[in-house]
Amino acid sequence: KRLKSGDLELSVDAPDDPANVPRVMVFWRANPLGSNVKGHEYFLKYLLGTESSFLGEEARQPETIRTTPEPDSPEGVGGGKLDLMGTAWIDGYVDGQFAFSELDGNLRVGKSDFFLSEACEYTNSFLHFYPKYSIILNIEAEHLDFFKDIQDIRHSFHQFASNTREDGAIIINGDIPDYTEITAGLKPQVITFGLSDSCTFHPADITFDEKACASFTAMKGSEALMKVTLHVPGMHNVSNALAAIALADDLGLSTDTVAKGLSDFGGADRRFQYKGCVDGVTIIDDYAHHPVELDSSIRSIKEIYGSEDVLAIFQPHLYSRTADFYKDFAQSLSHVDQVIVLDIYPAREEPMPGVTSELIYKELTAPHRWLCTKEELLPLLRQIELPRVVVTVGAGDIDKLVLPIRDYLATL
């Protein structure tokens, strides 16, 4: 069956019996950013409503949990969707963009009254949601093509928190600077989690295995709640796990159930993802595309593998983000010995005059640094001495280079 409206053509496959299709929703996203955005990808006219409005209304009905920013990246900044580990496997609905191996996709429709989803602050879309539980993982200067500055962002997060139902809870990272400004004057209970012991839920006795996955004791104040063994890498996932534990504790779930859920969770694709070890070189792929998460990824690699002998291959994402943060990107990347900067992945944007990857490259202080295109990457790798760890980083299509890199290493 086909729908046409102007230059838009939509094809829909449907069963013969309409009763088998309880509802069909079509989402569109408006273009708030002017001519710099590729409108044909993000602005579909004549359709029925916005994704955030639909999910907001859908989520008013059951026991709803919203997380923001996107939690599966280091420090909870950056694109993507749900990574609240144990709680994600409680029977319910999971809304997501990235594939989970346990779900064989990016969502699950369960049978309980829980609706669990990520909420994004971009264009203030998260203000459509009115959840029982809100989980705030971090607040950083991001999406500055929409927000004025960090204070504007913090104001929006306060509004997001104010949408939380009074009988629920605002679960917030207590390591966020002046986090009480976000929750000030709000009626729901406030629960803190984080890596410092000033947070109600915090870790103790953290250790990492050879794949950078943590084991730790989850603390609630001075009480040891449970031993946790994660199978997702990085310190940021310790923080994510604590957010899930804080929620599960308020829901009254048993510690055994929560610990098992956390242990069983295998993570989302491209989230500090271990891609193998070839001839002594460990390969990691990560979605980091903001300076804070990039810095967190690199620091985690150095802490876990105990070496600065790292090659970071970075693909900047968006011209506007590169223009805003090129010095910060360079500073984060310069923590390693070797850096390769690829061309900017444009995504929704058209090129901006004077904004190229060379802005980042010129600010690098790493001992060894290169600027190249994707097509030039493998020939370049053949000319340099590879270190102990290679990490591909970015929110574009850099993940498509992981397999060719791994194949190349196998030929050495």
Side-chain angles (χ1 to χ4, degrees):
K1 297 179 180 180
R2 309 179 73 83
L3 297 173
K4 291 185 178 181
S5 181
D7 60 353
L8 174 68
E9 183 174 293
L10 175 68
S11 297
V12 180
D13 292 327
D16 294 335
D17 184 0
N20 292 331
V21 185
R23 64 192 301 184
V24 176
M25 296 300 298
V26 182
F27 306 133
W28 64 275
R29 288 180 178 174
N31 177 354
L33 304 176
S35 60
N36 191 47
V37 177
K38 293 181 179 178
H40 67 279
E41 292 183 10
Y42 288 83
F43 184 39
L44 303 181
K45 291 183 178 180
Y46 313 115
L47 297 184
L48 303 181
T50 66
E51 177 183 5
S52 57
S53 296
F54 164 67
L55 290 177
E57 289 302 315
E58 192 78 358
R60 285 176 185 262
Q61 308 306 321
E63 300 295 308
T64 309
I65 303 160
R66 287 279 168 181
T67 71
T68 186
E70 296 84 342
D72 20 18
S73 57
E75 301 300 323
V77 183
K81 298 284 180 176
L82 185 69
D83 192 17
L84 281 186
M85 291 177 270
T87 54
W89 314 127
I90 302 166
D91 195 29
Y93 173 89
V94 177
D95 159 50
Q97 170 182 336
F98 285 85
F100 297 87
S101 58
E102 292 87 349
L103 304 184
D104 192 28
N106 61 3
L107 61 85
R108 176 187 177 205
V109 179
K111 299 178 181 178
S112 79
D113 290 333
F114 289 93
F115 185 105
L116 178 60
S117 175
E118 179 266 345
C120 180
E121 75 273 24
Y122 186 50
T123 68
N124 277 330
S125 63
F126 65 167
L127 300 184
H128 289 287
F129 305 136
Y130 299 85
K132 181 173 183 179
Y133 291 93
S134 299
I135 302 177
I136 299 176
L137 298 173
N138 216 323
I139 302 174
E140 298 288 348
E142 170 66 313
H143 302 306
L144 296 180
D145 53 342
F146 177 78
F147 293 105
K148 296 177 183 177
D149 51 31
I150 185 62
Q151 287 306 123
D152 189 23
I153 295 170
R154 289 174 66 90
H155 174 71
S156 287
F157 270 88
H158 177 78
Q159 288 183 286
F160 170 75
S162 71
N163 287 349
T164 308
R165 282 167 39 183
E166 291 184 18
D167 61 340
I170 301 166
I171 302 173
I172 188 168
N173 186 341
D175 295 326
I176 295 172
D178 300 319
Y179 80 87
T180 54
E181 291 180 355
I182 307 302
T183 59
L186 303 183
K187 294 182 179 180
Q189 66 169 321
V190 176
I191 303 171
T192 62
F193 69 93
L195 299 179
S196 60
D197 56 14
S198 61
C199 301
T200 301
F201 292 87
H202 61 272
D205 308 319
I206 303 174
T207 60
F208 289 93
D209 65 16
E210 69 281 359
K211 293 185 178 180
C213 300
S215 296
F216 63 94
T217 301
M219 305 292 294
K220 181 180 181 182
S222 60
E223 176 190 359
L225 283 183
M226 68 188 83
K227 296 288 185 180
V228 177
T229 299
L230 301 180
H231 292 98
V232 285
M235 183 66 80
H236 59 285
N237 275 318
V238 175
S239 182
N240 287 341
L242 289 165
I245 290 168
L247 171 63
D249 180 77
D250 199 70
L251 292 173
L253 301 180
S254 73
T255 56
D256 288 345
T257 298
V258 176
K260 184 179 185 304
L262 293 170
S263 179
D264 288 348
F265 183 68
D269 289 347
R270 304 220 57 224
R271 298 299 176 177
F272 206 93
Q273 189 174 19
Y274 177 82
K275 303 298 287 189
C277 184
V278 181
D279 197 25
V281 179
T282 297
I283 304 172
I284 295 172
D285 183 44
D286 193 71
Y287 192 77
H289 56 283
H290 182 278
V292 172
E293 63 192 35
L294 178 61
D295 189 74
S296 178
S297 291
I298 289 175
R299 290 182 183 275
S300 293
I301 290 171
K302 290 174 61 179
E303 290 172 4
I304 294 162
Y305 291 97
S307 173
E308 292 185 359
D309 191 20
V310 176
L311 167 62
I313 305 172
F314 179 59
Q315 182 187 48
H317 183 261
L318 297 179
Y319 294 99
S320 60
R321 185 178 286 123
T322 302
D324 288 333
F325 296 120
Y326 68 91
K327 291 184 178 180
D328 301 294
F329 282 129
Q331 183 177 355
S332 297
L333 290 166
S334 294
H335 290 307
V336 302
D337 284 347
Q338 300 181 358
V339 179
I340 298 175
V341 182
L342 304 178
D343 287 344
I344 296 171
Y345 185 83
R348 59 180 177 264
E349 294 183 343
E350 298 290 355
M352 295 175 63
V355 179
T356 70
S357 295
E358 192 171 0
L359 290 175
I360 299 172
Y361 175 75
K362 286 182 176 180
E363 296 289 332
L364 291 171
T365 59
H368 308 285
R369 49 198 184 272
W370 300 269
L371 182 68
C372 73
T373 65
K374 290 185 297 181
E375 293 73 21
E376 296 167 338
L377 178 61
L378 289 183
L380 175 59
L381 292 180
R382 297 186 181 100
Q383 301 174 28
I384 65 180
E385 184 176 349
L386 293 178
R388 182 184 172 194
V389 179
V390 174
V391 55
T392 53
V393 197
D397 59 358
I398 191 173
D399 59 307
K400 294 182 174 64
L401 297 174
V402 174
L403 184 57
I405 292 172
R406 195 169 63 187
D407 290 344
Y408 162 68
L409 293 177
T411 66
L412 296 179

